[in-house]
Amino acid sequence: MERAEDAGVYKLTGDLAIVQTVDFFTPIVDDAHQFGQIAVTNALSDVYAMGGRPLTALNIVCFPRDAMDISVLQDVLRGGMDKMHEAGVILVGGHTVEDPELKYGLAVTGTIHPDKVIQNCTARAGDKLILTKPLGTGIISTAIKGGKADEESVESIVRSMTALNRTASELMVEVGVDACTDITGFGLLGHAGQMIEGSDVGMVIDAASVPCFPGAKKLAEMGMIPGGLRRNRDFRKNMVDIGTNIPEFLQDILFDPQTSGGLLIAVPENKASKLLDELHEKGVSEAVIIGDVVAQNKGRIQVK
Ligand code: CO
Ligand code: CO
C-alpha cells in the first residue's frame, strides 16, 4: 500500500481480511494500572479507525528488571488485561525484553470485510468532520512530567485516553462514512493533513468548535509544550492557513500530539447529525462537528 493507512489490511477471502497494527510507548501518567489501560486503548485504536474488529493481541514489554519492582509491571499488565477484556480482545502471547526504560503496548490482529475498510484518505467535498475526543493530552502529560498538572487535568485526560474508540467505530460503520483516522502523535492538524494530502479536496476547520481539556489552555500558556508539537507545526505549516484571530494557545492545541486520541470522521452531510446523535446517545458525549471537507483549496487546511 503506497499510502500510510492506520493499520495493515490483508485480504484472506472475498469477505474476510485481517487488520494488523502495533504500538507501544513509555509511561505518560504516574499510575501503572492506568498506563496499562492507556497503552492498550491506544494500540487498539488503529483497528477501530479502519472500521475493524480487534480479536487477538500480543503483549510487548520492555522492563528495567534491576531498577523497578516487578509489582509495577504486574499493575501495568493488569491494566492492559482489563482493557482487553472490555474490548473483547483475547491475549494470546507476548514478549518481554530487559530495557532501561519501561515500555508497554500491543501487537493487535482484527478482522474486517475487505470491501468495508474505512480508509483515511477518501474524504469527499461536502463531508462534515466529526472529532470524538477533546485535544490536549500532550500538553497535559508534559505538565505531569514537569510536576505542574492539577488533579482535574490529569483525571480528564486519563478518562479520555482509557476510553475505547470502539463505540464510535461501530456507529460509523453502521451509518456509513467516507473516511476516518485516529488522532495520535501528529496532532489534529497533522492527521487532518494526512487525510487530504495530494487529494482533490480541502478542509475548513472551525477552531472555536474544537474541544479541548479544561486544563490545556492554561498549561499551554504556561509553556508546557511537548517537543512533538513544534515538530508537528513545522511539518504541516505549508499546508495550513491559520487565521490571525486564532489565539496562540489554541494553535498549540491543534498541533498537540495526542496519545489514544479520538476518531476524526469524514461523514456525508446528510448523515452527520444522525451519527452525532447516536454517538452522544451511546456515551461518546464529547463528539462534535469541527469543520467541513470542501472542493476549494485542494490539499490545504483553512483554520478559522
Ligand atoms: Co492511527
Ligand atoms: Co498507531
Side-chain angles (χ1 to χ4, degrees):
M1 198 178 290
E2 72 281 5
R3 288 194 50 97
E5 284 299 335
D6 285 301
V9 178
Y10 184 81
K11 187 170 166 179
L12 296 173
T13 66
D15 59 5
L16 185 66
I18 51 169
V19 195
Q20 292 183 296
T21 183
V22 58
D23 220 328
F24 64 110
F25 48 65
T26 55
I28 55 160
V29 292
D30 297 327
D31 184 285
H33 185 261
Q34 286 176 349
F35 168 56
Q37 292 181 278
I38 293 166
V40 165
T41 307
N42 180 74
L44 297 176
S45 182
D46 280 327
V47 177
Y48 290 132
M50 300 195 81
R53 176 170 168 235
L55 291 179
T56 61
L58 302 165
N59 273 339
I60 298 168
V61 181
C62 302
F63 188 68
R65 206 182 336 171
D66 298 329
M68 205 176 261
D69 196 278
I70 191 74
S71 68
V72 176
L73 180 57
Q74 287 163 347
D75 283 346
V76 171
L77 296 180
R78 237 190 319 266
M81 277 304 293
D82 288 350
K83 225 7 110 173
M84 281 182 256
H85 184 76
E86 182 188 330
V89 168
I90 295 167
L91 184 71
V92 291
H95 188 69
T96 304
V97 294
E98 172 85 32
D99 191 86
E101 211 175 359
L102 173 66
K103 302 179 187 79
Y104 174 58
L106 297 179
V108 183
T109 301
T111 53
I112 194 165
H113 191 294
D115 302 333
K116 291 181 183 159
V117 176
I118 300 171
Q119 290 180 275
N120 61 14
C121 56
T122 41
R124 292 194 290 185
D127 285 349
K128 290 283 175 191
L129 293 166
I130 292 179
L131 178 66
T132 65
K133 289 185 185 181
L135 302 175
T137 70
I139 289 163
I140 293 172
S141 50
T142 300
I144 293 175
K145 289 196 182 91
K148 293 284 197 312
D150 56 287
E151 210 169 300
E152 193 200 346
S153 300
V154 178
E155 273 169 20
S156 64
I157 63 165
V158 169
R159 206 178 311 125
S160 176
M161 292 187 295
T162 57
L164 294 171
N165 283 326
R166 178 187 187 171
T167 305
S169 175
E170 288 172 353
L171 290 173
M172 77 169 174
V173 169
E174 218 174 276
V175 166
V177 303
D178 285 328
C180 177
T181 193
D182 60 328
I183 305 302
T184 53
F186 298 130
L188 174 69
L189 292 180
H191 290 282
Q194 214 169 23
M195 214 175 227
I196 57 162
E197 195 166 35
S199 78
D200 59 357
V201 292
M203 256 182 206
V204 178
I205 288 178
D206 170 26
S209 68
V210 175
C212 55
F213 295 106
K217 173 180 191 245
K218 189 188 74 194
L219 293 169
E221 285 172 342
M222 282 166 63
M224 297 293 130
I225 304 298
L229 191 156
R230 291 181 229 275
R231 285 193 294 277
N232 288 343
R233 183 180 314 187
D234 287 346
F235 182 61
R236 284 297 181 203
K237 63 171 179 252
N238 294 325
M239 196 172 172
V240 179
D241 304 304
I242 297 191
T244 47
N245 58 320
I246 311 295
E248 186 77 17
F249 83 87
L250 193 49
Q251 298 189 29
D252 289 338
I253 286 169
L254 296 173
F255 284 108
D256 185 40
Q258 303 299 287
T259 298
S260 194
L263 300 183
L264 177 65
I265 303 169
V267 55
E269 188 176 12
N270 61 354
K271 298 177 182 173
S273 63
K274 176 179 158 70
L275 178 56
L276 198 62
D277 286 349
E278 289 187 0
L279 286 165
H280 293 165
E281 234 166 77
K282 300 264 165 68
V284 189
S285 54
E286 284 164 304
V288 284
I289 292 174
I290 60 161
D292 299 272
V293 180
V294 295
Q296 308 82 28
N297 292 319
K298 296 183 195 330
R300 300 196 63 79
I301 302 173
Q302 193 193 347
V303 181
K304 59 173 199 189

